[in-house]
Amino acid sequence: MPDTLTKLAELFNRFPGIGPRQARRFVYFLLAAPRSFREELARGILELSKIIHTCTECQRFFSPARGATLCPLCADPTRDRSTLMVVEKDVDLENVEKSRGFTGTYFILGGTVPILEKNPEERIHLKKLEGLIAHRAKEGLTEVVLALSLTTEGESTEEFLKEHLTPLAEKYGFKISTLGRGLSTGLELEYSDPETIKNALKNRQ
Amino acid sequence: MPDTLTKLAELFNRFPGIGPRQARRFVYFLLAAPRSFREELARGILELSKIIHTCTECQRFFSPARGATLCPLCADPTRDRSTLMVVEKDVDLENVEKSRGFTGTYFILGGTVPILEKNPEERIHLKKLEGLIAHRAKEGLTEVVLALSLTTEGESTEEFLKEHLTPLAEKYGFKISTLGRGLSTGLELEYSDPETIKNALKNRQ
Amino acid sequence: MPDTLTKLAELFNRFPGIGPRQARRFVYFLLAAPRSFREELARGILELSKIIHTCTECQRFFSPARGATLCPLCADPTRDRSTLMVVEKDVDLENVEKSRGFTGTYFILGGTVPILEKNPEERIHLKKLEGLIAHRAKEGLTEVVLALSLTTEGESTEEFLKEHLTPLAEKYGFKISTLGRGLSTGLELEYSDPETIKNALKNRQ
Amino acid sequence: MPDTLTKLAELFNRFPGIGPRQARRFVYFLLAAPRSFREELARGILELSKIIHTCTECQRFFSPARGATLCPLCADPTRDRSTLMVVEKDVDLENVEKSRGFTGTYFILGGTVPILEKNPEERIHLKKLEGLIAHRAKEGLTEVVLALSLTTEGESTEEFLKEHLTPLAEKYGFKISTLGRGLSTGLELEYSDPETIKNALKNRQ
């Protein structure tokens, strides 16, 4: 593989889930693709810098209309601003929206806090979250939902957030809640772990 | 493969999850195993008929002490007999016990009821369940927990049971509950289905 | 799970490819099966000891007619006795027969010789193989085909056999051959290892 | 997901082996990446058009020194020009080179010919191959190796090429060969298909 191609393959190799072999396939795919496809792709990548901003409230990526600083969701007057859901990343927000089960607003943490992390504040937007909460508190915030994944990292992030947000919750008088645990779609009782069964029993209705 | 072996392989082929190739491997494994292993195995299989009975209350398999008709769990006076959990099969009961989250008693349905099944009563112990409920009702039954898997078959079985048990619930005054739905251990928000997210939100705490 | 069942599950757990969970499923499957199925299965397992012998020549398992000591294949006068193929186990022989590409006779090694194995002769029927070769040499043996798998263990077994059979080959004047290497059905050039490509090139035709 | 992002995700969705979900992950990955990474990537993609040419002989992609029209391999005077290996694509050539088992030159077909394809000549560089063969014939070409994958498409491509190249082979007096078939590294005899076993037997040595 010529040097130019190797270099490009190395860039693709850093993409999530892409190993060296598939990275090289990408390069050969691009070589064989029409020039117009390569140009459209390169333009799309470069435009990200120009077009995409982060919403000043929820921190998610969006493509603003001229001068807008809020994403369509944060700018939507019909969303319930008394409830704030904290999620790890943009796709989590999109997935919750798909469920049509939530009418409040969101905050994107931008990452998780692994156990024993020395500089947790560099990994997530904690200061911005605290700022948003202080601001919303004046507008009648009643609940912050911590919607993290049920993985080890998700749970340690939840712990970290609870610690830091509890003083605010007491000061401003809102509730901190977490997503309900139980059986999820497709799960068989035979293969469920004890923790899930215990929660499914506790939350039975 | 000689006929005798082919015939034995066909029997193993009926075991759950065993295809023809693995069935033949079993036969060659047994051929190469010591004679004592084969004898112990055959004896163990034959003894099932003699030693194992089904509990007259919960219908699960157990190995009774002389004359006993109840399994140790149904015979245990410390179990809470006001709550009855209905599960599909023995391993489900074992798995719930492992969670140490339930102190009531159980009933093994013995199967599931697929949608549009013509003779659902042949697939599950419905009459025995109704009999047990009538019996327990006199002893203060307050709740029947339908603990089915969250699969298509599990859900249609739940529907079927609700239909048939609701008249009894009204007559005897007990509650019919189902396991709580929500995020289960290990689940990432990004990969959760809308139904699970909706339930996790509803059950948030 | 009652003790009797646990014990039976432990026996199934020793079957090839069967973990503890599936072993327990087997037990519950047998419990739910008709008594006649269990009896047929136990009888089939016990009959192995009575009915199955190993062929005195090729060492494979077979179910002999009264008094027979040779399996049908070794007894077949139309098989070419000048070529002897050495394979690891019975299923390998069956698979070669399916290819209809071999008309000679076989010898079942009964195992493989891992690298650095201290007592290789306890793992394979070396003495019996040497005896058969000495016997066949008088009847015009011209070739011994070592048909081992192309795995690490297969290759170290091939090495071991070559070392031990070369003196016999020189003494009796037969050839030792191995299976041809190259591309096998379904293989893509892109994913072939260098050794396979080298051999496929050497054997091109 | 904003429109700009959706559009970019759709482009990634066309990459080999990339589904819609991973395509969106790529976009979020790029959004979170430093601007310099995006710029380097876009530049690398655009440079493909400028820097990469196809070798006029073997048709593979390469990055030419000023004015060069042959790739380093075709320009290498130490390569044996009496043997020409025909492969499907660039990575196949790279893989054969890794095996260090071939010292001749190559030709990249640029695709395969599925069975019943109506316009096979639009899928592969047949005319260019015939031209190269005519040219090489004058320089002492003795063998053309058809090195296709052992898949259905690879085999039908081999058939197609044999049909079209046989007249040339007769006219110019070179041999058409194919890669040797047999056991490939890692293959177990038990799981080999009849065709592979038959070839491994035929090619035994």
Side-chain angles (χ1 to χ4, degrees), chain D residues 172-202:
Chain D
Y172 296 121
F174 61 83
K175 182 189 162 194
I176 297 175
S177 64
T178 55
L179 291 182
R181 299 174 68 152
L183 289 193
S184 48
T185 310
L187 200 65
E188 291 182 50
L189 206 59
E190 181 180 351
Y191 300 111
S192 305
D193 62 302
E195 199 54 34
T196 293
I197 291 183
K198 226 189 295 189
N199 282 290
L201 277 164
K202 215 173 56 189

Side-chain angles (χ1 to χ4, degrees), chain A residues 94-147:
Chain A
E94 291 177 26
N95 211 12
V96 174
E97 279 298 289
K98 257 189 233 153
S99 79
R100 295 165 178 273
F102 184 67
T103 55
T105 58
Y106 297 89
F107 181 85
I108 310 279
L109 267 185
T112 53
V113 178
I115 303 170
L116 299 177
E117 168 66 36
K118 281 188 189 155
N119 302 305
E121 309 200 9
E122 286 178 12
R123 294 180 139 257
I124 61 171
H125 306 313
L126 181 61
K127 282 278 157 287
K128 282 176 179 156
L129 174 58
E130 292 173 337
L132 181 61
I133 286 174
H135 179 73
R136 286 279 171 84
K138 291 172 207 150
E139 301 174 2
L141 180 69
T142 59
E143 179 177 3
V144 170
V145 187
L146 304 180

Side-chain angles (χ1 to χ4, degrees), chain A residues 5 11 14-16 18 22 24 26 28-29 31 37-38 42 45-46 48-49 52 61 90-91 94, chain D residues 5 11 14-16 18 22 24 26 28-29 31 37-38 41-42 45-46 48-49 52 61 90-91 94:
Chain A
L5 304 191
L11 296 179
R14 290 195 231 158
F15 275 50
I18 299 306
Q22 204 174 1
R24 288 165 65 212
F26 283 3
Y28 282 119
F29 162 76
L31 278 169
F37 180 85
R38 288 196 296 268
I45 292 166
L46 290 174
L48 292 181
S49 315
I52 298 302
F61 296 112
D90 289 68
V91 277
E94 291 177 26
Chain D
L5 304 190
L11 296 179
R14 291 196 231 159
F15 276 49
I18 300 305
Q22 204 174 359
R24 288 164 66 211
F26 283 2
Y28 283 118
F29 162 77
L31 278 168
F37 180 84
R38 287 195 297 267
L41 182 66
I45 291 166
L46 290 174
L48 292 181
S49 314
I52 298 301
F61 297 113
D90 290 69
V91 278
E94 290 177 26

Side-chain angles (χ1 to χ4, degrees), chain A residues 52-168:
Chain A
I52 298 302
H53 293 228
T54 49
C55 172
T56 50
E57 292 213 339
C58 73
Q59 305 301 319
R60 73 172 174 140
F61 296 112
F62 77 114
S63 162
R66 174 186 279 270
T69 58
L70 291 184
C71 77
L73 218 148
C74 286
D76 181 348
T78 71
R79 301 294 298 209
D80 167 16
R81 294 166 73 84
S82 70
T83 314
L84 181 67
M85 180 184 290
V86 179
V87 296
E88 184 200 330
K89 51 191 188 298
D90 289 68
V91 277
D92 293 345
L93 179 157
E94 291 177 26
N95 211 12
V96 174
E97 279 298 289
K98 257 189 233 153
S99 79
R100 295 165 178 273
F102 184 67
T103 55
T105 58
Y106 297 89
F107 181 85
I108 310 279
L109 267 185
T112 53
V113 178
I115 303 170
L116 299 177
E117 168 66 36
K118 281 188 189 155
N119 302 305
E121 309 200 9
E122 286 178 12
R123 294 180 139 257
I124 61 171
H125 306 313
L126 181 61
K127 282 278 157 287
K128 282 176 179 156
L129 174 58
E130 292 173 337
L132 181 61
I133 286 174
H135 179 73
R136 286 279 171 84
K138 291 172 207 150
E139 301 174 2
L141 180 69
T142 59
E143 179 177 3
V144 170
V145 187
L146 304 180
L148 283 311
S149 292
L150 261 188
T151 56
T152 318
E153 279 207 16
E155 296 194 71
S156 77
T157 307
E158 189 181 299
E159 272 321 297
F160 176 84
L161 289 176
K162 273 186 180 163
E163 249 176 64
H164 281 73
L165 300 185
T166 300
L168 292 181

Side-chain angles (χ1 to χ4, degrees), chain D residues 42-54:
Chain D
R43 196 164 45 237
I45 291 166
L46 290 174
E47 271 178 1
L48 292 181
S49 314
K50 292 183 225 154
I51 294 183
I52 298 301
H53 294 227
T54 50

Side-chain angles (χ1 to χ4, degrees), chain A residues 189, chain B residues 85-89 92-93 96 106-110 147-148:
Chain A
L189 205 61
Chain B
M85 181 184 290
V86 180
V87 296
E88 183 200 330
K89 51 188 189 297
D92 292 346
L93 179 158
V96 173
Y106 297 89
F107 182 83
I108 310 279
L109 269 185
L148 283 310

Side-chain angles (χ1 to χ4, degrees), chain C:
Chain C
M1 213 183 202
D3 276 5
T4 329
L5 304 190
T6 306
K7 227 163 145 190
L8 185 56
E10 276 162 13
L11 297 179
F12 281 124
N13 194 181
R14 290 194 231 159
F15 275 49
I18 299 306
R21 197 192 282 266
Q22 205 174 359
R24 288 165 64 212
R25 290 196 138 214
F26 282 3
V27 173
Y28 282 118
F29 162 76
L30 285 176
L31 278 168
R35 175 192 271 258
S36 62
F37 180 84
R38 288 194 297 267
E39 287 172 354
E40 201 181 348
L41 182 66
R43 196 165 44 237
I45 291 167
L46 289 174
E47 272 178 359
L48 293 182
S49 313
K50 292 184 227 154
I51 293 185
I52 298 302
H53 294 227
T54 50
C55 173
T56 50
E57 293 213 341
C58 73
Q59 306 300 320
R60 72 171 173 141
F61 297 112
F62 78 113
S63 162
R66 173 185 280 269
T69 58
L70 291 184
C71 77
L73 218 147
C74 286
D76 181 348
T78 70
R79 300 295 298 209
D80 168 16
R81 292 166 74 84
S82 69
T83 313
L84 182 68
M85 181 184 290
V86 181
V87 296
E88 183 199 330
K89 52 190 188 299
D90 289 68
V91 277
D92 292 347
L93 179 156
E94 290 177 26
N95 209 13
V96 173
E97 279 299 288
K98 257 191 234 152
S99 81
R100 297 166 177 272
F102 184 67
T103 56
T105 58
Y106 297 89
F107 181 83
I108 309 280
L109 269 185
T112 52
V113 178
I115 303 170
L116 300 178
E117 167 66 36
K118 282 189 188 154
N119 302 305
E121 310 199 9
E122 286 178 13
R123 293 179 141 256
I124 62 172
H125 306 312
L126 182 61
K127 282 279 158 285
K128 282 176 180 156
L129 173 58
E130 291 172 338
L132 181 62
I133 285 175
H135 180 73
R136 287 279 171 85
K138 292 171 206 152
E139 301 174 3
L141 181 69
T142 58
E143 180 177 2
V144 170
V145 187
L146 304 180
L148 283 310
S149 291
L150 262 188
T151 56
T152 318
E153 279 208 15
E155 297 194 70
S156 76
T157 307
E158 189 182 301
E159 273 321 298
F160 177 83
L161 289 176
K162 273 186 180 162
E163 250 176 62
H164 282 74
L165 300 185
T166 300
L168 292 181
E170 285 165 359
K171 182 174 170 194
Y172 296 120
F174 62 83
K175 183 189 163 194
I176 296 176
S177 64
T178 54
L179 291 182
R181 301 173 67 153
L183 289 192
S184 49
T185 311
L187 201 65
E188 292 182 49
L189 205 60
E190 180 179 352
Y191 300 111
S192 305
D193 63 301
E195 198 56 35
T196 293
I197 291 183
K198 230 190 294 189
N199 281 289
L201 277 164
K202 218 172 53 190
N203 293 331
R204 73 179 183 261
Q205 45 200 350

